[in-house]
Amino acid sequence: MSKLQAARGTRDLYGQDKLKMKKVVEVGSCVVERYGFEEIETPVFEFTEVFARNIGETTDIVSKEMYSFEKSGDNLTLRPEGTAGVVRAFVSNGMQRQLPLKFYYHGPMFRYERPQKGRYRQLTQFGVELLGVESPQVDVEVIAMAYNFLEELGLAGKVVVEINSLGDAESRDIYREKLVTYLKGHYENLSEDSKNRLEKNPLRVLDSKEDCDKEIVANAPLYSESLNEASKAFFADVIKGLDNLGIKYRVNDRLVRGLDYYNHTVFELVTDKLGAQGTVLAGGRYNGLVAQMGGGDVAGIGWAGGVDRLALLLDDDIEVARPVALIPTGDDVYDKAMEIAYNLRKAGLKIEYSYSGNFKKRFEKANKVNASKAVIIGADELVKGEVVVKDLDSGEQKNVSLEKLIEELS
């Protein structure tokens, strides 16, 4: 029988890897809750149309990366990203009268792509969505919140905010026409995927990872040249807001993001610490998505960060609370030792209890788990209502009454 292993692009999480990812989620939750966001949890799988129709059928996610299956006549897909599911929940639950709404989420997403450093086929995302406000001030606040999140993880010096504007629908149409004209002049040199995208959604060509497409795109018209006055004013207000908060950024005229529902502000927080694939958090405004999903004319903006990638940027190991080891000296005190362990745990203490082994082996186990103290439970001491507490760093020990044991260990 061959050795069982995790499927390619997945992994078992434990030890420091799991602790670092847990820290990313805990810090993120703490930060966004200060901004008034509340947690939402959507299903891990949805009807395929939630993603295929709303993310865009010509995007890499929909055309190449989704895990889809049929069950009882339903076409279902494991969620590849969080925004479409949150907006579906907003529409399904009739939340239109509760606007504005601020949600955050975290959990597994699934994309079939080539595994690489920090990028897996089952990945974990932490994200936020803000629905119901069109003001550029919200864009500033959402970007500031993302930067604040990474700051509190100790990553501010390792990431840069890149930002661009895709403008409104009018600006998009103007740019689309310019881009199509340019790309048709290079049609023969485009990849087959980009030739198909040119007919269905030419903006996706800008996201191509093929070298032949990258060379052509390098000289394509800039999006900023097609923005109308309203879109320029909106973006200027966002930039001004970031300046006022002292958040450093750089305008990237080639930044378009990979999903069809974005407009106006798009942004990425990128690093050079993880090789070529340097985006660790990204997002933007999606004013037309809610209407597209049947929820009315509701503005939206959000971002999502890759928890796996952010965890890789954390330098230091996560410290865990040291346990207290309970060491019974013989079979005759096991029942009492279990009772003491139960009461100490109820009091909030982290207790390591050895179920077998002689006295020496139990002490070895206590050192192995880096216990701070050992509580030695012997028959003679129990007769007097006492136990022995030994400090495993200094070696000092003393008798402590059972009544004062919690106070002593705390």
Side-chain angles (χ1 to χ4, degrees):
M1 180 178 176
S2 60
K3 183 180 178 181
L4 287 176
Q5 296 180 330
R8 187 165 186 254
T10 68
R11 58 178 176 154
D12 302 307
L13 282 165
Y14 57 93
Q16 281 296 319
D17 288 341
K18 181 60 181 177
L19 288 172
K20 288 182 177 181
M21 290 185 65
K22 183 179 179 181
K23 178 178 178 178
V24 170
V25 171
E26 288 177 346
V27 170
S29 301
C30 182
V31 169
V32 302
E33 285 177 4
R34 288 185 217 145
Y35 286 76
F37 285 70
E38 64 176 79
E39 188 170 2
I40 187 171
E41 184 173 338
T42 62
V44 172
F45 61 89
E46 301 262 8
F47 290 115
T48 298
E49 65 176 326
V50 169
F51 305 114
R53 185 162 61 90
N54 299 298
I55 292 175
E57 295 191 9
T58 59
T59 61
D60 282 350
I61 289 178
V62 173
S63 63
K64 300 178 182 179
E65 298 172 3
M66 294 204 312
Y67 283 90
S68 298
F69 58 97
E70 185 177 326
K71 195 72 174 176
S72 301
D74 292 328
N75 292 315
L76 305 168
T77 293
L78 297 176
R79 63 185 183 196
E81 57 93 53
T83 301
V86 172
V87 173
R88 195 275 311 149
F90 168 79
V91 175
S92 299
N93 293 284
M95 300 182 191
Q96 287 85 342
R97 293 184 180 181
Q98 303 170 40
L99 294 171
L101 286 168
K102 299 178 178 181
F103 291 122
Y104 77 91
Y105 59 86
H106 54 86
M109 309 290 167
F110 303 85
R111 296 185 186 181
Y112 187 83
E113 56 183 336
R114 184 172 64 85
Q116 51 192 298
K117 187 175 183 179
R119 194 178 293 276
Y120 303 92
R121 290 175 175 172
Q122 178 179 324
L123 58 142
T124 302
Q125 281 189 348
F126 182 95
V128 302
E129 312 295 344
L130 194 157
L131 300 168
V133 185
E134 294 189 26
S135 167
Q137 291 178 326
V138 167
D139 300 46
V140 175
E141 184 172 272
V142 166
I143 295 171
M145 182 172 66
Y147 192 78
N148 192 183
F149 166 33
L150 299 194
E151 240 181 349
E152 297 219 2
L153 282 173
L155 304 179
K158 297 181 180 180
V159 295
V160 175
V161 177
E162 293 194 347
I163 188 170
N164 195 24
S165 173
L166 304 184
D168 56 16
E170 181 185 62
S171 301
R172 191 182 186 97
D173 289 343
I174 294 170
Y175 181 69
R176 187 181 188 280
E177 186 176 338
K178 289 182 180 179
L179 183 62
V180 168
T181 300
Y182 172 78
L183 292 176
K184 282 184 174 179
H186 299 271
Y187 186 82
E188 295 303 320
N189 295 320
L190 289 172
S191 67
E192 288 304 312
D193 277 347
S194 289
K195 287 177 181 177
N196 292 330
R197 288 167 175 159
L198 184 55
E199 301 301 321
K200 297 177 181 179
N201 192 338
L203 267 66
R204 295 284 66 78
V205 176
L206 301 176
D207 283 331
S208 175
K209 298 175 178 62
E210 299 291 337
D211 289 338
C212 59
D213 295 331
K214 287 180 180 179
E215 289 182 18
I216 295 169
V217 167
N219 295 309
L222 296 177
Y223 215 118
S224 56
E225 296 169 351
S226 298
L227 296 180
N228 57 24
E229 292 306 313
S231 296
K232 289 179 181 177
F234 190 100
F235 191 51
D237 284 343
V238 175
I239 295 299
K240 179 182 177 183
L242 294 176
D243 287 336
N244 287 341
L245 295 178
I247 294 175
K248 296 179 180 179
Y249 61 87
R250 63 184 176 218
V251 176
N252 179 354
D253 291 319
R254 299 296 182 190
L255 178 60
V256 295
R257 302 290 299 126
L259 309 182
D260 282 358
Y261 51 58
Y262 285 114
N263 49 47
H264 280 301
T265 311
V266 290
F267 56 91
E268 294 184 351
L269 277 72
V270 300
T271 181
D272 60 2
K273 306 296 183 183
L274 295 173
Q277 298 294 322
T279 301
V280 294
L281 184 151
R285 181 166 281 281
Y286 48 87
N287 288 352
L289 179 61
V290 180
Q292 186 176 308
M293 296 180 73
D297 187 16
V298 176
I301 185 171
W303 51 254
V307 176
D308 307 82
R309 313 208 85 208
L310 289 168
L312 282 176
L313 292 173
L314 301 181
D315 290 330
D316 299 327
D317 284 349
I318 306 299
E319 291 186 12
V320 295
R322 298 174 67 186
V324 172
L326 255 63
I327 301 179
T329 58
D331 295 351
D332 54 338
V333 296
Y334 281 176
D335 288 344
K336 187 62 179 179
M338 285 291 288
E339 179 188 330
I340 293 171
Y342 178 70
N343 290 329
L344 291 176
R345 286 166 175 154
K346 282 205 301 181
L349 292 164
K350 183 177 181 179
I351 302 300
E352 181 68 34
Y353 183 84
S354 296
Y355 300 100
S356 61
N358 58 32
F359 193 69
K360 179 181 178 182
K361 287 189 177 298
R362 290 176 191 268
F363 257 106
E364 289 175 352
K365 176 69 180 297
N367 288 322
K368 186 176 180 180
V369 299
N370 195 30
S372 59
K373 295 179 181 179
V375 176
I376 303 166
I377 303 168
D380 292 342
E381 286 79 16
L382 286 179
V383 170
K384 296 183 262 184
E386 295 177 343
V387 292
V388 176
V389 176
K390 181 173 183 177
D391 187 310
L392 295 180
D393 293 328
S394 68
E396 296 178 0
Q397 65 181 50
K398 60 182 176 180
N399 286 30
V400 178
S401 69
L402 290 173
E403 289 80 8
K404 294 186 177 181
L405 182 58
I406 291 174
E407 180 183 342
E408 173 69 25
L409 297 177
S410 298

